[in-house]
Each structure stands twice: as structure tokens, then as C-alpha cells.
Amino acid sequence: MRRALRPKSPIVQELVRIATERAFRHNRKRCVVAGTKLIRDLGQRYPFYDLLYSKDHEDLSRGIRAEAKYLAEPQCLRRIAQVREFDGLVGTLDLPESREDLADIRLLLCLDYIEDPGLLGTLLRTAVAFQWQAVYLLPNTADPFDPLCIRASQGALFEIPHRRGSMATLQKLCKARRLPLCVSHSEGTDIGSAAYQPPQTGMALLLREEYAA
């Protein structure tokens, strides 16, 4: 009879570090994905490195490609997923690479000072839903590969290209792509008015948390 992984297992401890330590996560170039539906959706396109499941969810792990599959105690799954209540599938994937070339971009969402991973994930999921073509992440933004952000975004950065960089680099990119860099402001143009004409070349929209605006 197979024994389930316990909290002190080296595999569990490594995955907890990937989940909780940004530098370690990016050094390993892997992220933790938690949630049965999300893992099954991503598993149709990407092979996982590790796939962990509880005794009650072993059937759900079948058909998902992974280098290694492990039976784990629910406590381990909760620690790795960084949530108090959880008993689904947990896996690890390669980090999507930052794209230096964002050619032919017309709708670019730029995010700065978004420090809450859950809020960042919601914005990324919304960007995909509204068909923005790429996301630009400025240095003061939370890590989009925090497990909480990945869950909130439903794996958005596996769907949409992203790039990390400074404000100066963003301004150069906008100039090269002829994208006006816009911000939301109470005294700005009312985009809901009949007189509003969107820029023909597209736009880059910069969003920040309210306290940083």
C-alpha cells in the first residue's frame, strides 16, 4: 500500500518553497498551480512536473501528463496551495517566459503597484476576457506566479503574452508601437460618450491600486 506524502517530505518542502518564496520560484523557473479544474484545463496543453492528489481525488489525476505523481495528505496540499481549505489537485509547471518582442500589439494592459496577488489575478483574468493582447508588468507589482494570483487569474499568463520592465522601457515600447499611454482619471475623456473616438493605433492602459494613483 502506498504511503501518502507528509509535511516533512522533501518534495512537499520544496513545493512549499516554490509557492511561498518568489526568488526560489524564479530560480527554479517553476510555479505551483492549485485547483482541480484549472489543472485539468492547463493539462490539456502543458505537461506537469509534479502532480499531487489526495486519496479521494486519485481518479481526477488520471489522464493528466506529469513526470511524477504523488499521493499526499490533505494537509500537504493545503500548505502548498497556500489556502486553509483545499483538497483538490496541485501541480508544478514551467513559468511562462517574459516576451521581449510584443509585435503588432494594439491593446496593452500595464500594471503597476498592484501588490495584492488576488487583485492582480482578477485583473489578468479580466484582461483575457476582454481580449487585451498583452500585459506589461512594472517592478512594483506582485509576482503574477504567486499561487493565489494564478488561482485568481485562472492561469491567465499561460494564455496571454507578458513582459516585465521599467517605466522607461514601457514608454519606449509605446513610442515604437505608436500606442498612447493612458491612465484612468476623473478629469479624463469619457470613453462612454458618443463623441469618444478610440486611438486608431490602439492604446496602452496603465492601472494602479488607488493608494498609488
Side-chain angles (χ1 to χ4, degrees):
M1 181 177 179
R2 285 182 302 165
R3 296 181 61 184
L5 294 177
R6 308 190 69 177
K8 292 186 179 180
S9 163
I11 295 170
V12 172
Q13 292 181 344
E14 179 179 9
L15 296 190
V16 169
R17 289 192 67 189
I18 291 175
T20 59
E21 300 178 24
R22 180 171 184 164
F24 187 77
R25 176 163 56 242
H26 285 270
N27 182 59
R28 293 301 307 273
K29 297 183 179 180
R30 294 184 188 178
C31 61
V32 166
V33 179
T36 300
K37 182 180 183 303
L38 179 56
I39 282 184
R40 293 184 68 85
D41 288 346
L42 292 175
Q44 296 178 14
R45 288 163 290 156
Y46 305 101
F48 285 83
Y49 282 102
D50 307 295
L51 184 65
L52 282 69
Y53 54 87
S54 67
K55 183 179 179 180
D56 294 336
H57 291 81
E58 183 171 2
D59 288 348
L60 296 176
S61 70
R62 291 172 183 163
I64 300 175
R65 294 171 294 164
E67 288 190 5
K69 296 185 178 182
Y70 304 97
L71 175 66
E73 293 183 352
Q75 180 184 356
C76 299
L77 300 176
R78 290 193 295 271
R79 284 189 62 199
I80 297 168
Q82 293 294 292
V83 291
R84 293 182 179 180
E85 299 294 333
F86 183 82
D87 193 22
L89 301 179
V90 172
T92 56
L93 281 175
D94 283 327
L95 293 179
E97 294 186 1
S98 176
R99 294 271 297 273
E100 294 302 313
D101 181 19
L102 296 178
D104 299 323
I105 291 297
R106 293 295 178 266
L107 293 172
L108 177 64
L109 181 64
C110 311
L111 302 174
D112 193 19
Y113 286 99
I114 310 294
E115 298 180 349
D116 181 344
L119 174 58
L120 177 60
T122 299
L123 291 171
L124 293 174
R125 187 178 73 244
T126 302
V128 172
F130 283 91
Q131 299 183 345
W132 288 79
Q133 294 172 297
V135 175
Y136 191 98
L137 300 165
L138 287 135
N140 300 304
T141 297
D143 186 3
F145 302 112
D146 180 292
L148 299 181
C149 182
I150 292 177
R151 288 194 73 190
S153 73
Q154 288 297 292
L157 289 190
F158 292 94
E159 304 285 343
I160 186 172
H162 77 283
R163 180 173 175 177
R164 299 173 184 269
S166 65
M167 179 60 73
T169 303
L170 172 60
Q171 291 172 326
K172 291 179 181 178
L173 174 64
C174 290
K175 184 177 181 180
R177 300 289 183 266
R178 299 176 61 201
L179 298 176
L181 182 56
C182 307
V183 297
S184 175
H185 196 280
S186 60
E187 298 182 4
T189 302
D190 181 5
I191 63 174
S193 69
Y196 174 71
Q197 294 292 328
Q200 293 185 353
T201 58
M203 72 165 63
L205 175 62
L206 175 62
L207 297 181
R208 291 178 168 175
E209 287 197 44
E210 290 185 3
Y211 77 91

